[in-house]
Every structure is written in structure tokens, then in C-alpha cells.
Amino acid sequence: MQVTSGRWKSMTEASAFLKFVDINLRGAGQVMFQNNPLTGLIFLLGIAWGAFASGTVVVAVGAVVGLVVATVAAIAFKVDAVPLRSGLFGYNGILVGAALPTFLQVNATMWCVLIFAAAASVVVMLAIANVVKTWSVSALTAPFVLTTWLFLLASYALAGLPESGLPHPGLPQPMAAGIGLDVDAMIGASLRGISQVFLIGNAVTGCLFILALAVNSAWAAIAALAGSAIAVVVAWATGASPQVIAAGLFGFSPVLTAVAVATVFYSPGPRVVGYAIGGAVFTVFAQAALDVALRPLGIPTLTAPFVLATWVFLLPRRSFAPVPHEVGQGGVLHPK
Amino acid sequence: MQVTSGRWKSMTEASAFLKFVDINLRGAGQVMFQNNPLTGLIFLLGIAWGAFASGTVVVAVGAVVGLVVATVAAIAFKVDAVPLRSGLFGYNGILVGAALPTFLQVNATMWCVLIFAAAASVVVMLAIANVVKTWSVSALTAPFVLTTWLFLLASYALAGLPESGLPHPGLPQPMAAGIGLDVDAMIGASLRGISQVFLIGNAVTGCLFILALAVNSAWAAIAALAGSAIAVVVAWATGASPQVIAAGLFGFSPVLTAVAVATVFYSPGPRVVGYAIGGAVFTVFAQAALDVALRPLGIPTLTAPFVLATWVFLLPRRSFAPVPHEVGQGGVLHPK
Amino acid sequence: MQVTSGRWKSMTEASAFLKFVDINLRGAGQVMFQNNPLTGLIFLLGIAWGAFASGTVVVAVGAVVGLVVATVAAIAFKVDAVPLRSGLFGYNGILVGAALPTFLQVNATMWCVLIFAAAASVVVMLAIANVVKTWSVSALTAPFVLTTWLFLLASYALAGLPESGLPHPGLPQPMAAGIGLDVDAMIGASLRGISQVFLIGNAVTGCLFILALAVNSAWAAIAALAGSAIAVVVAWATGASPQVIAAGLFGFSPVLTAVAVATVFYSPGPRVVGYAIGGAVFTVFAQAALDVALRPLGIPTLTAPFVLATWVFLLPRRSFAPVPHEVGQGGVLHPK
């Protein structure tokens, strides 16, 4: 299904509009490191399905607006053509656009802020990418996380931007033991963990996302599913909240860590598989830790656990003897 | 009014005392990136006026002590002559010296701590400047922010260093809509926003600071005023607290961002003006966000929103095609 | 007492088991920068004594398990031989292993987490060391701090990993003046400050640690004792809690800062002694500040004040004219 070659490619080269569409679809795909417009298209379908099913169509609209605004901003800033063409300036915008209507009330101020924030995510992307390329790692979704945190925190101080669904600020409390999860619940939780990468809690969307990955990379689809399943098992075994597990909220970061470590940045192999499993497990604890650390501030972790864990697991690269040291070509900003 | 050349210059070269005075005045000027002793002198007059008007002369005394101690410490550490001569080791000290008596009770322990903190700000400056020059950006006021935060936080654990005017620690609460601001209040807020760069809430001081900028750079004066006005309008339009806006507390960081992005680091031009406006708007949201994020700790943001926003908006430099890439010569540590 | 040369050295070269023991003992020694197996052995004896005296033998067992797991993990990752041989992949593991049973209830989940965390500390070590070697500084105990914070924070969200002795989350409160300390109490506090480097509050253990340092470096022993005494005096003079001072909880970070700045990274001399004293004083305020900053999260500072202060005081190195610029050979990761 090499949609990126052949007919689509020549169509995008013949039409400025289709080229723009292609860049945006690749931007959607880059949320999970896939430089593939078909992957991005199926991601958008999955987002639409999930948003429609939960009665929050505005989340899907926000995602598309954020994606397009970020891409336009990147073009206006005259960024380098190669990463632009690969969708690397859209993936933070789509996430910003999905997150703000999820956590804020939808009014005119929110839409102005969403547009400004999506454009700002491009600046934040350039800033963070410039810093972290010093160590040959990419910005991951850190620009999305930082930009969104900034506007969600600000909403507490701005009466014109009221929240809607932010966690209530409070001090950490020890967790009481909950009831268990059966196998069915665990499978549902694993699928929702994949869908939560785009802030959607819907098993069908999770299946669509697996399909979207599979059309570009079978390994990526397997890694995503494995990362989500590992998260469910580790969170369950250590006594995390069953409701939170069932909503897929322990899975979305390990999904991304697993895809990043196992398929994009390192060439696959038994040692890399073991290392990626370690990274996914580490991400589960990072998710729990950041959930607690952010509780006094009343903001969600977003994909910060993924960013933290993946940076930690990718930075040692040069120190490992047996792991191949080349950066994969899966769509991350290349070091110079 | 090129006071730095001609007679004053030859006087400072003839007298070690006047040279020391010159370094200190430039240190005051560097708080707003102006390597000009007259600017620094007018800044000090503005601080004195504001401190006297509010009955807190000790803030002005603390500022001068902090400035002199930091300069002496830098000389004792035998730092490089060029940045020393330009006042780059004084501007954090003057801010530390203004901030500690603003937020802590004035006793013998406070003065010992102020002297130690002002000297330590030089070490923190050297440390941060060494780190961030990797990406050709300067330390900005990060050394002031980190040093002051450290001692303000410590005051909660030290009975000998009681606070006086720190915000009360608490959890974030959603903001209720307040009453509006009329145009007169907005003008006053804009002037106080400029004076708050030195922790002074006084419109006359704001006017003096504009004058101080204008003697060195008309562009800097315009950028400062524009930055403060943008902050007032954006904060008002998004429903921030009218009291906080009127006190100038949304303006001081956007003032610095506007001056930094528009006049010091980039050559002026229409695109840079637009980019600087974006940076100032971003800083307003960063101010709101950090106000909320620091609420559980009971410490003020100081100029952290400026530092965060300006680093974010300067780091992408190399990635932009049309913006000139040279670092301005406005008085920041040059990259090697 | 050059135990590392001569007979022990030939024994370790003849036996893979003794070589492994040697690496582990050096790992213990590296907590205070001593690349010496005898130092490490006496550290372990001191830990055992303190843990036994306080009825928490599990802390000593955890320390040994953490040390061995981290060393095994480093070998499995095939890290560079020279830092491995010097114990640089064990010192974070021993601290993680001591900390987790100190703050968490001891059950099967805790042991699984301890083993995973000790192995993960090697990955975190490689990641942080790769980042900070950009500025020719070493990772210090940052990998221990970050890894342990992550799992302690996570414990609040995981019913299977209940805490036991974590500080109760709360908002900062101003400190009330306490009663004084007499000279005897100050001497005890100084010794316990040294023992708290390994999370043990025991004066005898403190004496054993001084002995352990002295067998490798008289200067290190003197610096450790001076750092702890400075901490007690500064904390007492500024009105810190007498109970906290007496427990040695203001001393462990200044001890490490003093050893790091005075004996390992800079060659000794009067200016360096003064600078190291400044660093130790700065660390006391950093300890107070981080105690307050972490209060809402309910986790201890661990050695974060040492890491922060030592990075701040070592990063300016290249900017100082008179201080020798060579990195000492006391056992920290060398810059390339």
C-alpha cells in the first residue's frame, strides 16, 4: 500500500492544493511517527468517529483547525522544506487543537486562543528541536505538551477562558485498593489506550489507529498494541485505579514510547525489543508519577510521560555497544 | 546624547572610582538590555522615586546594595573584562536586591542573605550563560529569577527570614469575571507595567523608565511601551483580574520580551515587528500560566514569563529563512 | 593504604568474582566520589550499622540489592569498560536501593520495583551524563534523584506500592521560631549530616563514613566534615527547624557539595576553599528551598540540593581566570 509513491505523489506535485492536503495528512500521521498521508487520513477518521460517538464533535473540528493553522504558520515562517513536507510542523498543532476544546469551554476566546496556540506550537517546536538536536534526539510531542500546559494553566487566571473538564486541583492522596479488571476490560483498555494518543477514549478508534499504523508499518502497529497492553498489565499489577486504566489513560504514553524506541529510532532486534519493553514499563511509572505531580496544578499530563521516558531511553544511544546507532528515517527531525 | 563617548568616557578611564560607577550604572541599564550609564542612572532615579512614593525606601537601598555587591563579586571572581565592563554581571544583582526587601521582612538576616544572594547571582549568571550559549542565546534574567526563588522559597523554612508580602500558598481556583477597565486605567496600567520591571508599581517611574530607554534607543522605548500596552489589552480581553492588570503585573514580562525580540536580538523590520508582537502576546499567557503554577508554592513569577517566552522566540532563529541571523550588539553575552 | 594497588589489584585481575565485587565496592565509594573499594566497604559497614541500630535492616539489604542490580544492568548494556570499572554505574543504584525501602512499605511489589528502578538508574545515568557532558560536568546523583522521585510520586497512584514514611503533602507554612541547639547537639547533627548521604541518621555511621573517606583522601574527609558543620551553623543561624537540623537533614547535600567543589573538581587552594564554602552555604539555602518546593508533592528532596548547587558552582569553571580548569580525576565521568 505504498500510497505515497505513484499516483498520489504525482497528483500532489501537480496541485498546490493537494500538496497542502498531503502535508497536513502527513502531519496527522507524524503524531505516531508515520510519514504517510493515508495513515494520517485514517487517524482523522478515527478522531471523527470517536468525537462523534462521545458527542464532542468540536474536538475533531479543533484538531483539524489546529493542524491546518500550524501548517500555515510553518509555511509563513519559511521553515526548511524537507521537514515541512514530512508533516513535522503539523503534529503538535493537531494535538493542541484536540486538547484545548477537550479541557476548555468552547467560546470565541477559546477559538482565538486555539489558533494562536497552534501557530505558537510551531515556534515552540523550532525552539525545542534546536535545543535537543544537540544530543541527536527529536522534540517528540514536547511542543504540544508545553504549549497546551501553558494555556490550560492560564485558563485558571482568565475569566474569559473557563475550563471544562480539567482535573480539580488538589494535594496527592494515597490510593485505596480498587476492584480488579477482567480480560475483556483489559482488551478494551488496551484499544482505548491507543485512541487516547489523540485524547479519544473509544475502542473502535483504537482499532482504526492500529489499521492506520499497519498501512505504513506492521512493526509500528504491533509495537503500539504491545505498548498499550504492557501498560494495562503493569498498571493493574501495581494497583492503579481500574477506572483510569479502563479509560485507556495509562496506555497512550507507553504506546508512543514503544513505537518510538522499537521501530523508529532503533533497528528492530531481540535486544531492542527488550529495551523497548523496559521503556514502556518505565513510561507507566512516569505516567503515575506525573499524574501525582500535576495534581496540585489541576492539569493533565498529556504525553509528557512519553516525552520524558523516550528521551531517557534514547539519550544513552551512543553509550551502548551492541545497539545500532543510526537514527531511523521514520520521520523525526534529523540531527545535522 | 552619546554620553558613553566623549567626556564621560575619558573621565572613567582616568579614575578607577568613576570606572566602577560606570560599570554599576551600565549594570542597571542592562536590566532592559541598554549598555548605557545614563540609562542606568535614570533607572535608579525611577526606582528611588517609586520606592519613596510607596514608603519602601529599603527597596531602593536593596537594589543599590545588590548592584554593587554583584559587581564587586564579579571583579573578585576575575570574570572576563568585556562583559564585566558592559554591566552584564550587575543586572541580576540589582533585581535580587530590589526583590528580597519587597518580599521579606527587613532584618539583619535579610541583609546578610541579600549580600550573599547578590554575590551568588554572579555564579548563577556564569553557570546559566555557559549552558545557554550552546544555542547562541543569553541568560536574560534567569539568574535573578532562580536565585530569588531559591531564597524566597527558603524563607518558608527559616524562622530568621520571615516573609512580608509573599503571595499566600494555595491551590488554583477558577477566576470569576471582574469589572472592566476604562482607557485611563489602561494607560496607567501600561506605565506601571514598565515600572514593574524593577518591582515598582508607579506610573511616574514608568515614564522615567521610558525616558531612560529613549536616551539610548528610541526603538527600545517604543517597544517597551507597545509591549506593556499589548499586555494590558490581551489580559483585559481574556478576562484577567482587573486589579492585577491595573497594578502593572501583566506587563513587565511582555515589556522585556518586546524589547528583546524587537530591538536587541533581531534587526527591526515588519516581519520582526509581527514576530515580536506574537512574542509579547505569548508572554501574557505565560504570565497567567506561571502565576497559577506557582500558586501552591507562594512565590511570585518574577520575570520568569519573559525568560521562558524570549528563549522560545529566540531559539528558532537559525531555522527562519528571512530573519537576519546575527546577534545584536545590545549588550548580551556573545556566543563564542 | 593504597589498597587498590598491589595484592588486591592482582586478586581482582585473577578472579571474575572478585573483579565484580571490586566494581560494586567502588560503586559504593563513588557516592562520595571515591574510586576506592575499601572506602566502599566501610560505607557498606556504616550503612549496615545504621540500619541495624534503627531497626531497618531492610534499608541495608535494599542498598546492596540496588548496587548489584545496577552493576549487572550496566554490564548487560555493555557500557564503556573504564567508567564501569570505576563504579560509576553503581552509585545511583545503591542510593535508589536505600531510598525505596526507607519511604515505601516492604512487599513483593516494592522489591520488583526496586530491581526495575535500580536497572533503570543506569539508563537515566547514561542519559543525563550524555546531556551534561556538553558542559564538562558530570551527572552527580541526579539519576538517583530523578529515578527515586519518579517511583515515590508513582506510589501515591498505585495501591500495590503504599508509602511508609513519605512526608505528608501540604502547602508551605511560615516557620515558627524553635528552641536553640547546644554544641553537643551541633556535633551530633554534623555527624548525622554525613551519614544522611546514605539516608542513615546515625552519628557512629557518620564517623565510619569519615574514616572511609580518610583511607582514600584526607582532604575529602575534612571537606565532608566541614560541609556538614557549615550546614548546621547556617541552618541554625537562619532559624531552621532544630529537629530537622539535629537529624542531619540539612547536612547531607552540603557535605557532597563541599567534597565535590573542594577536592574532586578543582585543585585545592585558598580561593577554592572560599569558593567551596560559598557552595556549601548556597546548598543549605537550596535544601531549605527544595524542602518547601516539594511539600505539596509529599516527596523528599533526596540529594537534589547538592546536584543543583554543584552544577551551579561548577558550570562557571571556564569563566574564572585564577581557578585551574582541569577536571580532577576523582572518579567522575570525564568529558571527551
Side-chain angles (χ1 to χ4, degrees):
Chain A
M1 279 220 229
Q2 271 301 79
V3 75
T4 55
S5 60
R7 194 155 162 229
W8 175 252
K9 199 173 174 196
S10 45
M11 283 164 69
T12 62
E13 273 160 15
S15 154
F17 174 73
L18 287 184
K19 187 177 170 190
F20 182 76
V21 169
D22 182 68
I23 292 174
N24 278 282
L25 293 177
R26 288 171 194 272
Q30 287 288 6
V31 171
M32 295 202 209
F33 311 104
Q34 310 303 312
N35 183 6
N36 185 317
L38 181 56
T39 300
L41 180 65
I42 306 175
F43 279 169
L44 289 175
L45 291 176
I47 294 168
W49 176 277
F52 187 79
S54 64
T56 54
V57 176
V58 72
V59 170
V61 177
V64 172
V65 171
L67 174 61
V68 172
V69 167
T71 303
V72 170
I75 293 169
F77 289 144
K78 303 192 185 172
V79 298
D80 287 346
V82 174
L84 172 69
R85 198 70 184 77
S86 308
L88 287 172
F89 294 101
Y91 73 88
N92 288 291
I94 190 174
L95 291 170
V96 168
L100 292 184
T102 301
F103 297 111
L104 300 179
Q105 285 181 33
V106 177
N107 60 21
T109 304
M110 194 286 293
W111 284 110
C112 293
V113 163
L114 189 154
I115 290 167
F116 181 76
S121 78
V122 176
V123 180
V124 178
M125 171 68 178
L126 289 162
I128 295 180
N130 270 356
V131 170
V132 297
K133 79 177 175 196
T134 308
W135 306 286
S136 303
V137 295
S138 65
L140 305 175
T141 52
F144 152 61
V145 172
L146 292 184
T147 306
T148 307
W149 275 353
L150 194 104
F151 289 92
L152 294 182
L153 282 170
S155 77
Y156 283 98
L158 302 174
L161 199 64
E163 61 93 20
S164 153
L166 280 179
H168 197 67
L171 294 172
Q173 302 282 339
M175 179 73 194
I179 52 160
L181 291 172
D182 59 22
V183 172
D184 273 8
M186 284 189 169
I187 292 172
S190 297
L191 292 173
R192 277 187 287 274
I194 298 171
S195 73
Q196 287 286 8
V197 169
F198 283 96
L199 298 102
I200 302 282
N202 186 301
V204 174
T205 298
C207 292
L208 282 169
F209 286 0
I210 293 171
L211 173 67
L213 291 169
V215 300
N216 193 51
S217 158
W219 271 112
I222 292 167
L225 195 51
S228 200
I230 288 167
V232 170
V233 170
V234 172
W236 166 79
T238 54
S241 156
Q243 288 81 6
V244 176
I245 297 173
L249 293 171
F250 268 98
F252 58 93
S253 274
V255 162
L256 290 167
T257 303
V259 175
V261 176
T263 76
V264 176
F265 297 93
Y266 292 115
S267 312
R271 286 176 68 90
V272 168
V273 168
Y275 194 67
I277 292 172
V281 172
F282 189 87
T283 311
V284 178
F285 289 101
Q287 178 67 55
L290 287 171
D291 276 338
V292 171
L294 294 175
R295 216 170 282 173
L297 300 181
I299 55 170
T301 65
L302 305 173
T303 48
F306 150 63
V307 174
L308 175 68
T310 300
W311 278 345
V312 163
F313 273 72
L314 292 183
L315 281 166
R317 257 178 312 188
R318 294 180 197 172
S319 311
F320 292 147
V323 179
H325 293 184
E326 310 86 61
V327 175
Q329 63 285 87
V332 277
L333 279 181
H334 290 289
K336 63 182 176 299
Chain B
M1 278 218 230
Q2 271 300 80
V3 75
T4 55
S5 60
R7 195 155 161 230
W8 174 253
K9 198 174 173 197
S10 45
M11 283 166 69
T12 63
E13 273 161 15
S15 154
F17 175 72
L18 287 185
K19 186 178 170 191
F20 182 77
V21 169
D22 183 69
I23 292 175
N24 278 282
L25 293 177
R26 287 171 194 272
Q30 288 286 7
V31 170
M32 295 206 210
F33 311 105
Q34 309 303 313
N35 182 6
N36 184 317
L38 182 55
T39 300
L41 180 65
I42 306 175
F43 279 169
L44 288 176
L45 291 175
I47 294 168
W49 176 276
F52 187 78
S54 66
T56 53
V57 176
V58 71
V59 170
V61 176
V64 173
V65 171
L67 175 59
V68 173
V69 167
T71 304
V72 170
I75 293 169
F77 289 144
K78 303 192 184 171
V79 297
D80 287 347
V82 173
L84 173 69
R85 197 70 183 77
S86 309
L88 286 173
F89 294 101
Y91 72 90
N92 288 293
I94 191 173
L95 291 169
V96 168
L100 293 184
T102 300
F103 297 111
L104 300 179
Q105 286 182 31
V106 178
N107 59 21
T109 304
M110 194 285 293
W111 284 110
C112 293
V113 163
L114 189 154
I115 290 167
F116 182 75
S121 78
V122 177
V123 179
V124 179
M125 171 69 176
L126 289 163
I128 294 179
N130 269 356
V131 170
V132 297
K133 79 176 177 197
T134 308
W135 306 286
S136 303
V137 296
S138 66
L140 305 174
T141 52
F144 153 60
V145 172
L146 291 185
T147 306
T148 307
W149 275 353
L150 193 102
F151 288 92
L152 294 182
L153 281 170
S155 77
Y156 283 99
L158 303 174
L161 199 64
E163 61 91 22
S164 154
L166 281 179
H168 197 69
L171 294 173
Q173 302 282 338
M175 178 76 192
I179 53 163
L181 291 171
D182 59 21
V183 172
D184 274 8
M186 283 190 171
I187 292 172
S190 296
L191 292 172
R192 276 187 286 274
I194 298 170
S195 73
Q196 288 286 7
V197 169
F198 283 96
L199 299 101
I200 302 281
N202 187 301
V204 175
T205 297
C207 293
L208 282 169
F209 286 1
I210 293 171
L211 173 67
L213 290 169
V215 300
N216 194 52
S217 159
W219 270 112
I222 292 166
L225 196 49
S228 199
I230 288 167
V232 170
V233 170
V234 172
W236 167 78
T238 54
S241 157
Q243 288 81 7
V244 175
I245 297 173
L249 293 172
F250 268 97
F252 58 92
S253 275
V255 162
L256 290 167
T257 303
V259 176
V261 176
T263 76
V264 176
F265 297 94
Y266 291 117
S267 312
R271 286 177 66 90
V272 167
V273 169
Y275 194 67
I277 291 172
V281 173
F282 189 86
T283 312
V284 178
F285 289 102
Q287 178 68 53
L290 287 171
D291 275 339
V292 172
L294 294 176
R295 216 170 282 171
L297 300 182
I299 54 171
T301 66
L302 305 173
T303 49
F306 150 63
V307 174
L308 174 68
T310 301
W311 278 345
V312 163
F313 273 71
L314 293 182
L315 280 166
R317 257 180 312 190
R318 294 180 198 174
S319 310
F320 291 148
V323 178
H325 294 183
E326 310 85 60
V327 175
Q329 61 286 88
V332 277
L333 278 181
H334 291 288
K336 61 179 176 304
Chain C
M1 278 218 230
Q2 272 302 77
V3 74
T4 55
S5 58
R7 192 151 164 233
W8 175 253
K9 198 172 172 197
S10 45
M11 282 166 70
T12 63
E13 274 161 14
S15 153
F17 175 73
L18 287 185
K19 186 177 170 191
F20 182 76
V21 170
D22 182 70
I23 292 174
N24 278 282
L25 293 177
R26 287 171 194 272
Q30 289 287 7
V31 171
M32 296 204 209
F33 310 105
Q34 310 303 312
N35 182 5
N36 183 317
L38 181 56
T39 299
L41 181 64
I42 306 175
F43 279 170
L44 288 176
L45 291 175
I47 293 168
W49 176 276
F52 188 79
S54 65
T56 54
V57 176
V58 71
V59 170
V61 176
V64 173
V65 171
L67 174 60
V68 172
V69 167
T71 304
V72 169
I75 294 169
F77 289 144
K78 303 194 186 171
V79 298
D80 287 347
V82 173
L84 173 69
R85 197 69 184 78
S86 308
L88 286 173
F89 293 101
Y91 72 89
N92 288 292
I94 190 173
L95 291 170
V96 168
L100 292 185
T102 300
F103 297 110
L104 299 179
Q105 285 181 32
V106 177
N107 60 22
T109 304
M110 195 286 293
W111 285 111
C112 293
V113 163
L114 190 153
I115 289 167
F116 182 76
S121 79
V122 176
V123 179
V124 179
M125 171 68 178
L126 288 163
I128 295 180
N130 270 357
V131 170
V132 297
K133 79 177 177 196
T134 308
W135 305 286
S136 303
V137 295
S138 66
L140 304 175
T141 53
F144 152 61
V145 171
L146 292 185
T147 306
T148 306
W149 275 353
L150 193 104
F151 288 92
L152 294 182
L153 281 170
S155 77
Y156 283 98
L158 303 174
L161 199 64
E163 62 91 22
S164 153
L166 280 179
H168 197 68
L171 294 172
Q173 300 283 338
M175 180 75 193
I179 51 161
L181 291 172
D182 59 22
V183 172
D184 274 8
M186 284 189 170
I187 292 172
S190 298
L191 292 173
R192 276 187 286 274
I194 298 171
S195 73
Q196 287 287 7
V197 170
F198 283 96
L199 299 102
I200 301 280
N202 186 301
V204 174
T205 297
C207 293
L208 282 169
F209 286 179
I210 293 171
L211 173 67
L213 290 169
V215 300
N216 194 51
S217 159
W219 269 112
I222 292 166
L225 196 51
S228 199
I230 288 167
V232 169
V233 170
V234 172
W236 167 79
T238 54
S241 157
Q243 288 79 7
V244 176
I245 297 173
L249 293 172
F250 268 97
F252 58 93
S253 275
V255 162
L256 290 168
T257 303
V259 175
V261 176
T263 76
V264 175
F265 296 93
Y266 292 117
S267 311
R271 286 177 66 88
V272 168
V273 169
Y275 194 68
I277 291 172
V281 172
F282 189 87
T283 311
V284 178
F285 290 101
Q287 177 68 55
L290 287 171
D291 276 337
V292 171
L294 293 176
R295 217 171 283 172
L297 300 181
I299 54 170
T301 65
L302 304 174
T303 49
F306 150 63
V307 174
L308 175 68
T310 300
W311 277 344
V312 164
F313 273 70
L314 293 182
L315 281 166
R317 257 178 314 186
R318 294 179 198 173
S319 310
F320 291 147
V323 177
H325 292 184
E326 309 87 58
V327 175
Q329 61 286 86
V332 276
L333 277 182
H334 291 288
K336 63 179 172 299

